[in-house]
Amino acid sequence: MNDIIITILSFLIGGVLGEFVQALYNYKKEILSIIWTKRFEEYKVVWELTGVLPKYPEDRAIRYTDIYSTCLQLKNWYFKSGGIILLRKVESLMKIFKKPCMQFRISKQGRN
């Protein structure tokens, strides 16, 4: 009789525990999906903002004010929406871009 009770209890505990683990897995999967969707949307914004500095073809008509404006827009994007969801690798790239932007800001006086 004890063997039957132990078997039934084991079955019930295993079932409940299995459902709990499955629910946690599904929750994590859903959260990650939401984060990646949001991240992709934000990266599209950055992609468009950095279009002022294309590598190919080189834009020789770019003005100082265009670069300065892009720096300000990137800063606003970083602190108002996108910075919180960046991958560490992308965040390190943003920090690399930040230094030239700061130099533009400091030397902005009298330029067009």
Side-chain angles (χ1 to χ4, degrees), residues 59-88:
D59 186 357
R60 300 211 181 255
I62 193 163
R63 299 180 322 232
Y64 176 86
T65 53
D66 297 331
I67 296 171
Y68 182 72
S69 174
T70 299
C71 289
L72 288 178
Q73 290 173 351
L74 282 170
K75 179 192 75 137
N76 289 336
W77 171 85
Y78 182 86
F79 288 106
K80 292 182 180 178
S81 64
I84 197 165
I85 61 163
L86 286 177
L87 292 171
R88 284 192 178 122

Side-chain angles (χ1 to χ4, degrees), residues 18-110:
E19 286 293 322
F20 179 73
V21 169
Q22 183 66 38
L24 281 177
Y25 173 77
N26 289 339
Y27 178 72
K28 182 178 178 181
K29 185 177 167 184
E30 183 179 339
I31 294 297
L32 287 175
S33 175
I34 291 168
I35 289 171
W36 275 103
T37 299
K38 178 68 174 159
R39 192 173 276 160
F40 182 73
E41 291 170 6
E42 291 299 331
Y43 285 174
K44 286 194 304 187
V45 172
V46 170
W47 182 259
E48 290 176 15
L49 287 175
T50 57
V52 74
L53 302 169
K55 187 171 184 177
Y56 301 107
E58 187 175 308
D59 186 357
R60 300 211 181 255
I62 193 163
R63 299 180 322 232
Y64 176 86
T65 53
D66 297 331
I67 296 171
Y68 182 72
S69 174
T70 299
C71 289
L72 288 178
Q73 290 173 351
L74 282 170
K75 179 192 75 137
N76 289 336
W77 171 85
Y78 182 86
F79 288 106
K80 292 182 180 178
S81 64
I84 197 165
I85 61 163
L86 286 177
L87 292 171
R88 284 192 178 122
K89 194 177 221 181
V90 176
E91 189 171 1
S92 65
L93 290 172
M94 290 293 290
K95 287 178 183 176
I96 290 169
F97 191 72
K98 180 181 172 187
K99 188 173 182 178
C101 283
M102 289 300 294
Q103 290 172 344
F104 276 113
R105 193 175 112 205
I106 291 168
S107 64
K108 181 179 187 294
Q109 296 180 7

